[in-house]
Amino acid sequence: MSISPEIVLSVRNLSVSYLAKRGRVRAVNNVSFDLRKGETLALIGESGCGKSTLNLALIRQLPITGSIDSGQILYTRPDGQTVDVVSMRKEALRQFLWADCAMVFQGALNSLNPVLRVRDLVYDTAKAHRLNKAEARRRAFELFQKVRLDPARVFNAYPHELSGGMRQRVLLALALLLRPQIVIMDEPTTAVDILTQRSILDVIEQLKAEFGFSVIFISHDLAVAAEIADTVATMYAGEIIEIGPVDEVFYRSRHAYSLALLNAAPRLSTGQEELLSIPGSPPDLIEPPTGCKFHPRCAFAVEVCKTTPPPLIMPEPGHRVACHETDRVMAHNNRKITT
């Protein structure tokens, strides 16, 4: 099995569901994308669209009620060998986690064990991957310096002795302890003030430039996604409905939902303007709407949208979208930008 040498992760037709009393919740449905070396892919969309479920599936850490129903997660190791994460056995998966793919979870206080010192977390990670204590300590001190922390203080501290921003940077340093190729970041700037947010984003960019890892970045903050991402994927009702270069998705949106998200976000550059909220509520993922799942909330919906799911097409190189009315959306987007 081989894929492009520039691609470190290739997700193909991935579907994930949760077992509920009413039936199966189709949280991720037929998702495909590629992640290249050194690339930052931002996943955007409202709460419940499947972003976090997708990323938990990528590292096989779904809760007990969740399952990967179909698809492949193809990871290319540094030696060029490609393996399917979905079919990995327990020990292979254990070595894949943190050494090849690490995750910075949302909510640093909940992610760090409150009764363990930071050094214990470092040593536990090192032991699981046969890294000796001396080398683990050296790497930890180096990484703490790079994320702008005092290594001597932080290494021996309990989580409650650190601020929210410090805990978030500890998680980032721990994620890089084993030099993974892929780092998944689930809202790493949530619940921190704007100055700390700025500091965390700067640190991420510096570390990415130095170590060359790839990033999958989940964010509700479109401004953060626009700043940090190379590629943006918009998710709705468990599906990627638009994916492309950051400038294309943010300034030449071709899906009505992407455009609606942008119109609902404040923009300092245009001064005072009315924010346009998206009407309605997210769809029921046990019994989703027919056709395009966004059509009950879409201002551009026509009859075909109600009956036929739109295919994911490529109107421009590298820019894919699943929408029947891409031309109308694009025309409206252009008018919106030039006013």
Side-chain angles (χ1 to χ4, degrees):
M1 185 185 299
S2 64
I3 55 180
S4 167
E6 289 300 312
I7 296 175
V8 294
L9 191 71
S10 183
V11 177
R12 290 289 173 265
N13 305 314
L14 185 67
S15 294
V16 180
S17 66
Y18 294 104
L19 182 61
K21 290 182 178 180
R22 289 176 49 226
R24 281 279 173 185
V25 179
R26 301 176 185 89
V28 173
N29 184 39
N30 203 34
V31 163
S32 298
F33 66 88
D34 293 326
L35 180 70
R36 290 169 172 78
K37 290 181 179 179
E39 180 184 24
T40 296
L41 168 66
L43 296 175
I44 63 173
E46 60 196 336
S47 296
C49 70
K51 304 185 299 298
S52 293
T53 292
L54 171 59
N55 284 289
L56 288 174
L58 296 181
I59 58 174
R60 296 264 307 277
Q61 297 300 303
L62 291 166
I64 193 169
T65 57
S67 64
I68 297 176
D69 300 326
S70 61
Q72 294 178 301
I73 303 169
L74 304 176
Y75 168 68
T76 302
R77 292 174 173 151
D79 62 5
Q81 182 183 4
T82 298
V83 294
D84 188 356
V85 177
V86 174
S87 59
M88 277 184 180
R89 295 191 175 183
K90 186 175 181 179
E91 184 56 32
L93 179 63
R94 182 181 178 88
Q95 294 305 311
F96 168 75
L97 297 176
W98 241 250
D100 295 309
C101 181
M103 186 164 183
V104 179
F105 289 92
Q106 182 178 3
L109 183 59
N110 298 329
S111 300
L112 298 172
N113 191 323
V115 300
L116 295 180
R117 296 180 188 270
V118 171
R119 70 184 183 210
D120 299 321
L121 302 173
V122 171
Y123 290 147
D124 283 352
T125 303
K127 182 179 179 181
H129 292 271
R130 302 179 182 89
L131 183 69
N132 65 67
K133 277 191 171 185
E135 177 62 14
R137 186 179 186 277
R138 186 195 67 78
R139 289 190 186 185
F141 270 55
E142 177 188 0
L143 287 165
F144 289 152
Q145 286 182 328
K146 291 182 182 298
V147 298
R148 305 172 189 174
L149 295 172
D150 178 358
R153 177 197 167 191
V154 170
F155 192 69
N156 294 300
Y158 286 101
H160 72 268
E161 297 176 310
L162 306 174
S163 70
M166 294 172 73
R167 288 193 294 262
Q168 199 69 57
R169 282 176 281 167
V170 165
L171 280 179
L172 181 56
L174 287 174
L176 297 177
L177 186 67
L178 300 176
R179 308 290 193 264
Q181 281 204 100
I182 303 167
V183 179
I184 300 172
M185 301 183 184
D186 190 351
E187 296 277 4
T189 58
T190 294
V192 296
D193 61 83
I194 192 167
L195 294 178
T196 303
Q197 181 183 92
R198 174 75 271 157
S199 176
I200 291 172
L201 292 177
D202 288 344
V203 165
I204 291 171
E205 286 297 312
Q206 291 169 10
L207 291 173
K208 182 168 168 279
E210 180 173 350
F211 293 108
F213 54 85
S214 304
V215 176
I216 299 177
F217 191 94
I218 303 175
S219 182
H220 288 97
D221 191 327
L222 300 186
V224 170
E227 180 173 353
I228 200 170
D230 303 302
T231 304
V232 173
T234 306
M235 288 194 70
Y236 185 77
E239 300 176 355
I240 289 182
I241 47 88
E242 184 167 16
I243 183 170
V246 59
D247 288 345
E248 286 291 315
V249 174
F250 278 7
Y251 296 105
R252 292 168 57 84
S253 304
R254 287 183 173 271
H255 197 285
Y257 178 64
S258 297
L259 182 60
L261 282 178
L262 294 169
N263 287 342
R267 289 179 290 175
L268 297 178
S269 60
T270 56
Q272 293 184 348
E273 61 178 11
E274 182 182 359
L275 298 181
L276 304 175
S277 63
I278 303 175
S281 301
D284 182 345
L285 295 182
I286 296 178
E287 297 179 358
T290 58
C292 174
K293 293 178 181 176
F294 184 59
H295 86 259
R297 309 171 69 188
C298 181
F300 299 91
V302 294
E303 195 60 34
V304 68
C305 302
K306 303 176 183 178
T307 58
T308 307
L312 198 63
I313 61 172
M314 188 181 295
E316 296 171 338
H319 190 174
R320 292 180 292 156
V321 61
C323 182
H324 291 299
E325 295 295 308
T326 56
D327 291 340
R328 286 176 61 206
V329 173
M330 185 64 183
H332 185 85
N333 195 23
N334 283 338
R335 286 199 299 270
K336 185 71 176 174
I337 291 170
T338 54
T339 55

